[in-house]
Amino acid sequence: MKGFFIFLFLLAPALANARGFSIEAIKINLEREIEKKLDVNNITLSQLVIKRDGSGKIFTLEQVENAKIADLLEISKLEIANNKFISTVSEISGKYNISVTGKIARSIKIPVLSENISKETEITQDLIELVDIPERTLRGTTITGIKDLLGTVAARNISKKNQISFTDIKKPTIVKKNDVVQAIYQVKNMEIKTLAVAQQEGGLNDVITLRNYDSGKMFEGRVNSEGRVTVNFEEKEIVLK
């Protein structure tokens, strides 16, 4: 059973004085044992809810991050069934025990931005990092591969750490709207050129609408380099007129 998982779990003390644990130590030990049991890698634990000292008071991870670190911990019980797990974490001496239960959700690794960027910013390798998110939160248009981001530019302002959709990016603009470009029709050894006005912007290999500079007739062409657009056979008569 290969894959990535995020665990959402609830910690409750089995004994009143379970102060010998740090949350980080518990996380590390549980991650190791669950990875072994499920034969997975890179699992993460999130959304911790901790109850300590029998008071029922809820502590956030930040509030307990300075708790005393237990040097020796062991997982004395770990059962997994139907995407749920039940476990008991103990000090090796058996002095303290903490019951840990929770749910298992499959996660997926996606590329996100490490910082906020503005529209038209080129997305380079140093701006990209990989994060794990619950698979159920993945949007249908979200980009999941780094190669789909590299060499593109932001179509709008994009916030860091957020899922990036294909509508958030675009190819770098080569031809801008209202640019006067060369429209070229090529066949064998013949090349016909005329001037045209771009009716929309376009990146490399984008098909854009153009207006013949002299006749005003509209046609389509494919952007192949800055200021140059190739025209297909069906449009050649418009280019020539």
Side-chain angles (χ1 to χ4, degrees):
M1 182 178 178
K2 298 285 186 181
F4 299 98
F5 295 85
I6 290 178
F7 292 80
L8 312 178
F9 64 96
L10 174 67
L11 277 70
L15 296 179
N17 295 316
R19 293 187 177 183
F21 298 103
S22 76
I23 301 306
E24 190 61 32
I26 293 171
K27 286 177 61 178
I28 291 172
N29 279 268
L30 274 173
E31 286 171 354
R32 289 173 180 170
E33 290 302 315
I34 294 172
E35 283 177 349
K36 290 178 184 177
K37 197 172 185 71
L38 295 179
D39 190 23
V40 299
N41 296 310
N42 299 325
I43 65 170
T44 59
L45 308 179
S46 64
Q47 296 187 11
L48 307 186
V49 180
I50 303 103
K51 294 183 180 180
R52 302 174 62 210
D53 298 332
S55 65
K57 184 177 180 180
I58 303 299
F59 289 78
T60 66
L61 181 59
E62 289 74 19
Q63 288 173 319
V64 296
E65 64 183 359
N66 294 321
K68 179 182 176 182
I69 296 176
D71 294 327
L72 297 173
L73 294 176
E74 65 176 356
I75 310 299
S76 56
K77 176 183 177 182
L78 178 59
E79 298 177 359
I80 300 174
N82 298 323
N83 293 326
K84 297 180 180 180
F85 73 91
I86 300 173
S87 66
T88 301
V89 181
S90 307
E91 272 190 335
I92 201 71
S93 65
K95 184 177 180 180
Y96 299 130
N97 296 300
I98 290 182
S99 174
V100 184
T101 63
K103 296 181 179 180
I104 303 172
R106 184 176 294 276
S107 69
I108 186 171
K109 195 177 291 291
I110 64 167
V112 298
L113 296 178
S114 58
E115 60 185 70
N116 299 331
I117 64 172
S118 56
K119 183 178 179 180
E120 300 297 336
T121 300
E122 182 180 1
I123 299 176
T124 55
Q125 182 71 56
D126 61 312
L127 287 174
I128 301 172
E129 62 182 37
L130 292 173
V131 298
D132 289 312
I133 65 166
E135 190 175 65
R136 58 184 171 77
T137 67
L138 183 70
R139 299 193 297 262
T141 58
T142 294
I143 295 172
T144 57
I146 292 178
K147 63 180 179 62
D148 293 320
L149 285 177
L150 290 175
T152 65
V153 298
R156 56 177 63 87
N157 295 341
I158 305 177
S159 299
K160 64 181 180 180
K161 310 297 183 183
N162 286 350
Q163 294 186 43
I164 304 172
S165 299
F166 283 98
T167 54
D168 294 329
I169 62 171
K170 63 179 182 177
K171 299 173 185 176
T173 300
I174 294 177
V175 174
K176 297 180 180 179
K177 185 177 181 179
N178 295 324
D179 276 356
V180 177
V181 300
Q182 275 192 334
I184 304 169
Y185 169 70
Q186 291 178 313
V187 57
K188 295 183 179 180
N189 296 325
M190 182 177 65
E191 183 177 83
I192 302 171
K193 300 179 181 179
T194 191
L195 293 179
V197 180
Q199 302 301 291
Q200 60 192 116
E201 68 175 33
L204 185 63
N205 292 323
D206 284 344
V207 175
I208 62 173
T209 301
L210 303 107
R211 176 173 54 82
N212 187 295
Y213 190 84
D214 295 320
S215 69
K217 292 185 177 181
M218 309 295 285
F219 63 98
E220 290 186 339
R222 186 179 299 275
V223 178
N224 65 357
S225 65
E226 189 170 356
R228 294 169 64 88
V229 178
T230 56
V231 181
N232 61 30
F233 180 81
E234 289 75 13
E235 304 279 12
K236 70 173 183 176
E237 296 301 326
I238 297 176
V239 175
L240 293 172
K241 294 180 180 179

